[in-house]
Amino acid sequence: MPAPWLLAQGLLMGCQLIGGQLECVPGMDHLKPQQEIKVLKQQIDATSQRASDLQAAIQSLGELELAGEAIAGQLIEARWLAANPTGPQPTLIHWYRQGESGWLLIPGAVGSSYTAQSSDVGLDLMAVAIVITPEGHRRVASGPLGPVRP
């Protein structure tokens, strides 16, 4: 039998080398390649459907819209556009800027408005609302605004 690292390099379907350990999708070791592909496609379809359902649930709450100019020193407002006016409202809004490694929380930037800073110049901004529903906490992100100009 070949070494586990060799199997992990694509010779054993459903397996990969993670942190020096051979990890395989459970129950895949007895299937033919065509059966393995079918099982993996079913898992991908189920995951995609769950993601779509979650996105639809979030959108049914409402949207977070940013209003204002992406200019340093200018006030930007996050406006909650509720899908149902009597439905859940945001309990908290956090602000983020896009850094080299993704979206970074802006320390102390909490609330429905944010004044763009000189440190934001050249970066996009985004707000995220926390909405409490009977199912739990949901996060609703605005679209990005920017890049911020001087």
Side-chain angles (χ1 to χ4, degrees):
M1 178 170 190
W5 63 268
L6 185 58
L7 294 175
Q9 301 306 315
L11 297 178
L12 183 60
M13 288 293 293
C15 296
Q16 59 183 332
L17 191 61
I18 300 176
Q21 297 290 322
L22 183 62
E23 300 287 334
C24 297
V25 175
M28 297 286 283
D29 55 351
H30 68 283
L31 300 176
K32 295 179 182 173
Q34 294 83 4
Q35 293 170 317
E36 291 175 6
I37 291 169
K38 183 177 179 181
V39 168
L40 292 172
K41 282 184 179 180
Q42 288 171 343
Q43 290 175 348
I44 289 168
D45 290 344
T47 300
S48 295
Q49 183 61 47
R50 283 192 303 272
S52 178
D53 292 347
L54 180 58
Q55 186 62 33
I58 289 171
Q59 287 177 340
S60 71
L61 293 173
E63 295 180 57
L64 193 61
E65 174 185 82
L66 297 184
E69 294 289 324
I71 300 173
Q74 294 292 313
L75 185 71
I76 301 168
E77 291 184 48
R79 298 180 183 159
W80 180 247
L81 306 174
N84 175 1
T86 61
Q89 300 292 312
T91 57
L92 194 59
I93 297 175
H94 295 280
W95 292 83
Y96 294 80
R97 69 173 59 100
Q98 191 168 31
E100 290 180 18
S101 60
W103 290 100
L104 304 171
L105 179 66
I106 301 172
V110 177
S112 61
S113 62
Y114 173 72
T115 301
Q117 305 297 309
S118 59
S119 56
D120 297 324
V121 171
L123 305 174
D124 287 345
L125 299 174
M126 172 180 69
V128 175
I130 308 299
V131 181
I132 299 173
T133 69
E135 295 81 28
H137 293 76
R138 300 278 187 243
R139 288 171 174 75
V140 179
S142 71
L145 179 70
V148 175
R149 299 183 311 267

